[in-house]
Amino acid sequence: PDDAADLRRRCPCVAERAAYDRGLVGRLVKAHGGFAAALGQPRSTLSKALRSSPGDARGADTSAGSPGETPEGVVTWCDQEYPPRLRELFDPPPALFLRGRLWPVMLRGLRERPTVAVVGARHPSPYGLEMAWLLGAGLARAGVNVVSGMALGIDAQAHAGALEGLDLHAPGEGLPDAPVVLAGVLGAGVRLAVPRTNEELFGAIARRGVLLSEYGWSLPPYPWRFPARNRLIAALSDAVVIVEGRATSGALHTAAFALDLGRDVLAVPGEAGRPLSAGPHRLLRDGAHLCESPGDVLALLPAGPWSVPEAATSRAGSA
């Protein structure tokens, strides 16, 4: 490549193909010993690898078109703004597509504040909804970033609580230049609300936080894109909390990615014998940390100006 600008231009091209070919980045990494080495291959070598990808990129949308009401942007693997923790992945996203009123500032917050993912069942119990709300509200109020996959159920409820907790957090407390970030990591393009029933929440996170995806602007969801995005949720986080989930829950995939990356995994205990308790209880048996309140999460985070106000730990509010 001629220069850094040329490397940067290559990233969206690789992202365009990878959006239709789950294994593309991994194959490039294996073939060349790392993503940086793969990206730096002669143009003909990289072009041949992309052409041979079995993915169908027809209709792929990786160029920033008309942004509409919410500012959008692209951050590539080569950029300083790229979340450094994502580079720890074996197959890091070549580019991130972002939607949010202040997305550059939000990326700074993801770098400088601790981040916790709260994920779990799409069809939780009232107890699970209450716990997700409590955790989201308590963590955001304490000054901790909250990440989820924006799915129905636990993910959405955690962010609903975090939005309320954000209103109670003292602006600029502890780290005045790094806002508390509410981040949604998507399995589709950032211009889509998937599921559509969460459209209002998507809008709120775009205004108060950031939505990010490795799948362009308007690409529809494919089934494999949701498990793949779980690795980004885990990588961005210091800790991952599982709130309810069956034995085959996708949230357990997020926990497995977190363990592989050396992140802390916590699980909220449920009623014995209930299907929704199977996932968290398996994690607890395997050594996950017990989580009964935001304070249990904070105890595992790096030292800093984070504390849970008493009001945020006493009750979860209405689910």
Side-chain angles (χ1 to χ4, degrees), residues 184-215:
V185 183
L186 310 184
V190 291
R191 291 177 184 164
L192 303 181
V194 179
R196 189 164 293 280
T197 49
N198 280 353
E199 190 166 7
E200 184 176 344
L201 179 63
F202 274 68
I205 298 300
R207 291 189 298 273
R208 303 288 299 277
V210 64
L211 299 170
L212 61 92
S213 173
E214 60 183 318
Y215 302 124

mmCIF file of all heavy atoms in Angstrom, residues 184-215:
data_model
loop_
_atom_site.group_PDB
_atom_site.id
_atom_site.type_symbol
_atom_site.label_atom_id
_atom_site.label_comp_id
_atom_site.label_asym_id
_atom_site.label_seq_id
_atom_site.Cartn_x
_atom_site.Cartn_y
_atom_site.Cartn_z
ATOM 1 N N GLY A 184 -25.597 0.306 21.702
ATOM 2 C CA GLY A 184 -26.297 -0.845 21.149
ATOM 3 C C GLY A 184 -25.486 -1.441 20.021
ATOM 4 O O GLY A 184 -25.138 -0.740 19.059
ATOM 5 N N VAL A 185 -25.150 -2.721 20.137
ATOM 6 C CA VAL A 185 -24.359 -3.417 19.116
ATOM 7 C C VAL A 185 -25.330 -4.261 18.294
ATOM 8 O O VAL A 185 -25.992 -5.147 18.836
ATOM 9 C CB VAL A 185 -23.273 -4.296 19.763
ATOM 10 C CG1 VAL A 185 -22.417 -4.952 18.687
ATOM 11 C CG2 VAL A 185 -22.407 -3.469 20.707
ATOM 12 N N LEU A 186 -25.406 -3.989 17.003
ATOM 13 C CA LEU A 186 -26.497 -4.511 16.187
ATOM 14 C C LEU A 186 -26.071 -5.655 15.274
ATOM 15 O O LEU A 186 -24.925 -5.729 14.845
ATOM 16 C CB LEU A 186 -27.080 -3.380 15.334
ATOM 17 C CG LEU A 186 -27.433 -2.087 16.083
ATOM 18 C CD1 LEU A 186 -28.095 -1.095 15.132
ATOM 19 C CD2 LEU A 186 -28.322 -2.362 17.281
ATOM 20 N N GLY A 187 -27.041 -6.497 14.953
ATOM 21 C CA GLY A 187 -26.843 -7.582 14.008
ATOM 22 C C GLY A 187 -27.381 -7.252 12.634
ATOM 23 O O GLY A 187 -27.584 -8.137 11.802
ATOM 24 N N ALA A 188 -27.629 -5.961 12.392
ATOM 25 C CA ALA A 188 -28.105 -5.469 11.097
ATOM 26 C C ALA A 188 -27.537 -4.064 10.921
ATOM 27 O O ALA A 188 -26.788 -3.577 11.767
ATOM 28 C CB ALA A 188 -29.633 -5.456 11.055
ATOM 29 N N GLY A 189 -27.889 -3.406 9.823
ATOM 30 C CA GLY A 189 -27.411 -2.056 9.597
ATOM 31 C C GLY A 189 -27.927 -1.073 10.635
ATOM 32 O O GLY A 189 -29.014 -1.254 11.196
ATOM 33 N N VAL A 190 -27.158 -0.014 10.894
ATOM 34 C CA VAL A 190 -27.508 0.900 11.979
ATOM 35 C C VAL A 190 -28.721 1.775 11.668
ATOM 36 O O VAL A 190 -29.243 2.438 12.563
ATOM 37 C CB VAL A 190 -26.319 1.808 12.373
ATOM 38 C CG1 VAL A 190 -25.224 1.021 13.027
ATOM 39 C CG2 VAL A 190 -25.803 2.582 11.169
ATOM 40 N N ARG A 191 -29.162 1.790 10.426
ATOM 41 C CA ARG A 191 -30.363 2.567 10.099
ATOM 42 C C ARG A 191 -31.638 1.765 10.325
ATOM 43 O O ARG A 191 -32.742 2.311 10.183
ATOM 44 C CB ARG A 191 -30.304 3.036 8.649
ATOM 45 C CG ARG A 191 -29.228 4.082 8.401
ATOM 46 C CD ARG A 191 -29.139 4.470 6.944
ATOM 47 N NE ARG A 191 -28.032 5.400 6.716
ATOM 48 C CZ ARG A 191 -27.526 5.681 5.533
ATOM 49 N NH1 ARG A 191 -28.021 5.092 4.457
ATOM 50 N NH2 ARG A 191 -26.530 6.539 5.411
ATOM 51 N N LEU A 192 -31.507 0.499 10.681
ATOM 52 C CA LEU A 192 -32.673 -0.357 10.883
ATOM 53 C C LEU A 192 -32.910 -0.580 12.369
ATOM 54 O O LEU A 192 -31.966 -0.743 13.139
ATOM 55 C CB LEU A 192 -32.473 -1.711 10.204
ATOM 56 C CG LEU A 192 -32.172 -1.717 8.708
ATOM 57 C CD1 LEU A 192 -32.039 -3.149 8.214
ATOM 58 C CD2 LEU A 192 -33.252 -0.980 7.934
ATOM 59 N N ALA A 193 -34.165 -0.609 12.759
ATOM 60 C CA ALA A 193 -34.535 -1.002 14.120
ATOM 61 C C ALA A 193 -34.991 -2.453 14.061
ATOM 62 O O ALA A 193 -36.054 -2.767 13.520
ATOM 63 C CB ALA A 193 -35.648 -0.117 14.657
ATOM 64 N N VAL A 194 -34.157 -3.347 14.575
ATOM 65 C CA VAL A 194 -34.473 -4.779 14.574
ATOM 66 C C VAL A 194 -34.354 -5.285 16.014
ATOM 67 O O VAL A 194 -33.252 -5.287 16.563
ATOM 68 C CB VAL A 194 -33.512 -5.572 13.656
ATOM 69 C CG1 VAL A 194 -33.854 -7.063 13.685
ATOM 70 C CG2 VAL A 194 -33.565 -5.037 12.229
ATOM 71 N N PRO A 195 -35.478 -5.650 16.646
ATOM 72 C CA PRO A 195 -36.836 -5.733 16.113
ATOM 73 C C PRO A 195 -37.511 -4.357 16.039
ATOM 74 O O PRO A 195 -37.166 -3.455 16.796
ATOM 75 C CB PRO A 195 -37.546 -6.630 17.133
ATOM 76 C CG PRO A 195 -36.848 -6.321 18.424
ATOM 77 C CD PRO A 195 -35.394 -6.102 18.047
ATOM 78 N N ARG A 196 -38.500 -4.244 15.162
ATOM 79 C CA ARG A 196 -39.165 -2.958 14.947
ATOM 80 C C ARG A 196 -39.912 -2.495 16.193
ATOM 81 O O ARG A 196 -40.115 -1.286 16.393
ATOM 82 C CB ARG A 196 -40.134 -3.059 13.763
ATOM 83 C CG ARG A 196 -40.704 -1.723 13.338
ATOM 84 C CD ARG A 196 -41.332 -1.804 11.957
ATOM 85 N NE ARG A 196 -40.347 -2.051 10.926
ATOM 86 C CZ ARG A 196 -39.557 -1.110 10.406
ATOM 87 N NH1 ARG A 196 -39.620 0.123 10.849
ATOM 88 N NH2 ARG A 196 -38.706 -1.412 9.461
ATOM 89 N N THR A 197 -40.315 -3.428 17.039
ATOM 90 C CA THR A 197 -41.025 -3.043 18.260
ATOM 91 C C THR A 197 -40.141 -2.222 19.200
ATOM 92 O O THR A 197 -40.638 -1.572 20.108
ATOM 93 C CB THR A 197 -41.542 -4.285 19.003
ATOM 94 O OG1 THR A 197 -40.470 -5.236 19.134
ATOM 95 C CG2 THR A 197 -42.684 -4.937 18.256
ATOM 96 N N ASN A 198 -38.829 -2.265 18.991
ATOM 97 C CA ASN A 198 -37.902 -1.478 19.817
ATOM 98 C C ASN A 198 -37.506 -0.158 19.146
ATOM 99 O O ASN A 198 -36.541 0.485 19.556
ATOM 100 C CB ASN A 198 -36.617 -2.280 20.096
ATOM 101 C CG ASN A 198 -36.804 -3.283 21.212
ATOM 102 O OD1 ASN A 198 -37.839 -3.303 21.882
ATOM 103 N ND2 ASN A 198 -35.807 -4.132 21.417
ATOM 104 N N GLU A 199 -38.269 0.267 18.131
ATOM 105 C CA GLU A 199 -37.870 1.435 17.347
ATOM 106 C C GLU A 199 -37.719 2.682 18.214
ATOM 107 O O GLU A 199 -36.784 3.473 18.033
ATOM 108 C CB GLU A 199 -38.885 1.686 16.236
ATOM 109 C CG GLU A 199 -38.436 2.734 15.232
ATOM 110 C CD GLU A 199 -39.289 2.721 13.964
ATOM 111 O OE1 GLU A 199 -40.293 1.987 13.927
ATOM 112 O OE2 GLU A 199 -38.937 3.454 13.017
ATOM 113 N N GLU A 200 -38.602 2.872 19.169
ATOM 114 C CA GLU A 200 -38.503 4.048 20.040
ATOM 115 C C GLU A 200 -37.220 4.009 20.866
ATOM 116 O O GLU A 200 -36.544 5.024 21.047
ATOM 117 C CB GLU A 200 -39.723 4.120 20.960
ATOM 118 C CG GLU A 200 -39.754 5.371 21.823
ATOM 119 C CD GLU A 200 -41.015 5.468 22.656
ATOM 120 O OE1 GLU A 200 -41.993 4.751 22.356
ATOM 121 O OE2 GLU A 200 -41.026 6.264 23.617
ATOM 122 N N LEU A 201 -36.871 2.827 21.348
ATOM 123 C CA LEU A 201 -35.640 2.680 22.127
ATOM 124 C C LEU A 201 -34.414 2.938 21.243
ATOM 125 O O LEU A 201 -33.452 3.591 21.675
ATOM 126 C CB LEU A 201 -35.564 1.279 22.732
ATOM 127 C CG LEU A 201 -34.312 0.966 23.564
ATOM 128 C CD1 LEU A 201 -34.224 1.871 24.783
ATOM 129 C CD2 LEU A 201 -34.308 -0.509 23.993
ATOM 130 N N PHE A 202 -34.432 2.448 20.008
ATOM 131 C CA PHE A 202 -33.319 2.706 19.087
ATOM 132 C C PHE A 202 -33.113 4.211 18.917
ATOM 133 O O PHE A 202 -31.982 4.707 18.917
ATOM 134 C CB PHE A 202 -33.580 2.055 17.725
ATOM 135 C CG PHE A 202 -33.162 0.621 17.630
ATOM 136 C CD1 PHE A 202 -33.824 -0.370 18.343
ATOM 137 C CD2 PHE A 202 -32.116 0.243 16.812
ATOM 138 C CE1 PHE A 202 -33.447 -1.697 18.245
ATOM 139 C CE2 PHE A 202 -31.718 -1.090 16.709
ATOM 140 C CZ PHE A 202 -32.385 -2.061 17.433
ATOM 141 N N GLY A 203 -34.218 4.937 18.764
ATOM 142 C CA GLY A 203 -34.117 6.379 18.614
ATOM 143 C C GLY A 203 -33.537 7.043 19.851
ATOM 144 O O GLY A 203 -32.716 7.967 19.750
ATOM 145 N N ALA A 204 -33.947 6.572 21.019
ATOM 146 C CA ALA A 204 -33.446 7.148 22.271
ATOM 147 C C ALA A 204 -31.948 6.897 22.433
ATOM 148 O O ALA A 204 -31.198 7.783 22.860
ATOM 149 C CB ALA A 204 -34.213 6.566 23.461
ATOM 150 N N ILE A 205 -31.495 5.697 22.073
ATOM 151 C CA ILE A 205 -30.062 5.394 22.195
ATOM 152 C C ILE A 205 -29.266 6.203 21.172
ATOM 153 O O ILE A 205 -28.155 6.685 21.455
ATOM 154 C CB ILE A 205 -29.802 3.885 22.017
ATOM 155 C CG1 ILE A 205 -30.508 3.090 23.119
ATOM 156 C CG2 ILE A 205 -28.304 3.585 22.038
ATOM 157 C CD1 ILE A 205 -30.077 3.440 24.529
ATOM 158 N N ALA A 206 -29.815 6.415 19.983
ATOM 159 C CA ALA A 206 -29.122 7.241 18.989
ATOM 160 C C ALA A 206 -28.980 8.679 19.469
ATOM 161 O O ALA A 206 -27.995 9.348 19.152
ATOM 162 C CB ALA A 206 -29.864 7.193 17.656
ATOM 163 N N ARG A 207 -29.948 9.156 20.238
ATOM 164 C CA ARG A 207 -29.868 10.527 20.751
ATOM 165 C C ARG A 207 -28.952 10.639 21.961
ATOM 166 O O ARG A 207 -28.232 11.622 22.119
ATOM 167 C CB ARG A 207 -31.271 11.032 21.129
ATOM 168 C CG ARG A 207 -32.196 11.274 19.954
ATOM 169 C CD ARG A 207 -33.467 11.971 20.382
ATOM 170 N NE ARG A 207 -34.249 11.190 21.334
ATOM 171 C CZ ARG A 207 -35.145 10.267 21.006
ATOM 172 N NH1 ARG A 207 -35.375 10.011 19.722
ATOM 173 N NH2 ARG A 207 -35.817 9.602 21.921
ATOM 174 N N ARG A 208 -28.969 9.619 22.818
ATOM 175 C CA ARG A 208 -28.250 9.710 24.093
ATOM 176 C C ARG A 208 -26.976 8.884 24.128
ATOM 177 O O ARG A 208 -26.184 9.007 25.062
ATOM 178 C CB ARG A 208 -29.165 9.238 25.238
ATOM 179 C CG ARG A 208 -30.475 9.976 25.356
ATOM 180 C CD ARG A 208 -30.307 11.379 25.884
ATOM 181 N NE ARG A 208 -29.727 11.408 27.213
ATOM 182 C CZ ARG A 208 -30.427 11.251 28.348
ATOM 183 N NH1 ARG A 208 -31.733 11.035 28.293
ATOM 184 N NH2 ARG A 208 -29.825 11.304 29.518
ATOM 185 N N GLY A 209 -26.779 8.021 23.145
ATOM 186 C CA GLY A 209 -25.616 7.139 23.135
ATOM 187 C C GLY A 209 -25.154 6.883 21.716
ATOM 188 O O GLY A 209 -25.026 7.806 20.913
ATOM 189 N N VAL A 210 -24.932 5.610 21.387
ATOM 190 C CA VAL A 210 -24.450 5.286 20.042
ATOM 191 C C VAL A 210 -24.920 3.891 19.652
ATOM 192 O O VAL A 210 -24.973 2.976 20.482
ATOM 193 C CB VAL A 210 -22.897 5.371 19.979
ATOM 194 C CG1 VAL A 210 -22.244 4.337 20.891
ATOM 195 C CG2 VAL A 210 -22.386 5.229 18.559
ATOM 196 N N LEU A 211 -25.291 3.737 18.389
ATOM 197 C CA LEU A 211 -25.586 2.441 17.794
ATOM 198 C C LEU A 211 -24.431 2.096 16.870
ATOM 199 O O LEU A 211 -23.968 2.955 16.107
ATOM 200 C CB LEU A 211 -26.893 2.491 16.998
ATOM 201 C CG LEU A 211 -28.156 2.853 17.792
ATOM 202 C CD1 LEU A 211 -29.323 3.104 16.852
ATOM 203 C CD2 LEU A 211 -28.499 1.737 18.785
ATOM 204 N N LEU A 212 -23.972 0.858 16.928
ATOM 205 C CA LEU A 212 -22.846 0.480 16.067
ATOM 206 C C LEU A 212 -23.056 -0.908 15.479
ATOM 207 O O LEU A 212 -23.704 -1.767 16.074
ATOM 208 C CB LEU A 212 -21.529 0.574 16.815
ATOM 209 C CG LEU A 212 -21.289 -0.282 18.054
ATOM 210 C CD1 LEU A 212 -20.628 -1.594 17.672
ATOM 211 C CD2 LEU A 212 -20.432 0.460 19.062
ATOM 212 N N SER A 213 -22.503 -1.079 14.296
ATOM 213 C CA SER A 213 -22.634 -2.349 13.583
ATOM 214 C C SER A 213 -21.434 -2.536 12.679
ATOM 215 O O SER A 213 -20.822 -1.564 12.218
ATOM 216 C CB SER A 213 -23.922 -2.362 12.751
ATOM 217 O OG SER A 213 -23.990 -3.513 11.925
ATOM 218 N N GLU A 214 -21.095 -3.780 12.401
ATOM 219 C CA GLU A 214 -20.075 -4.071 11.387
ATOM 220 C C GLU A 214 -20.716 -4.369 10.042
ATOM 221 O O GLU A 214 -20.026 -4.741 9.104
ATOM 222 C CB GLU A 214 -19.200 -5.251 11.841
ATOM 223 C CG GLU A 214 -19.949 -6.545 12.073
ATOM 224 C CD GLU A 214 -19.045 -7.660 12.594
ATOM 225 O OE1 GLU A 214 -17.910 -7.798 12.091
ATOM 226 O OE2 GLU A 214 -19.484 -8.390 13.499
ATOM 227 N N TYR A 215 -22.039 -4.180 9.930
ATOM 228 C CA TYR A 215 -22.785 -4.604 8.748
ATOM 229 C C TYR A 215 -23.353 -3.450 7.933
ATOM 230 O O TYR A 215 -24.407 -3.560 7.328
ATOM 231 C CB TYR A 215 -23.917 -5.548 9.170
ATOM 232 C CG TYR A 215 -23.418 -6.752 9.913
ATOM 233 C CD1 TYR A 215 -23.894 -7.048 11.188
ATOM 234 C CD2 TYR A 215 -22.445 -7.575 9.367
ATOM 235 C CE1 TYR A 215 -23.422 -8.150 11.885
ATOM 236 C CE2 TYR A 215 -21.958 -8.668 10.057
ATOM 237 C CZ TYR A 215 -22.456 -8.952 11.318
ATOM 238 O OH TYR A 215 -21.970 -10.032 12.004
#
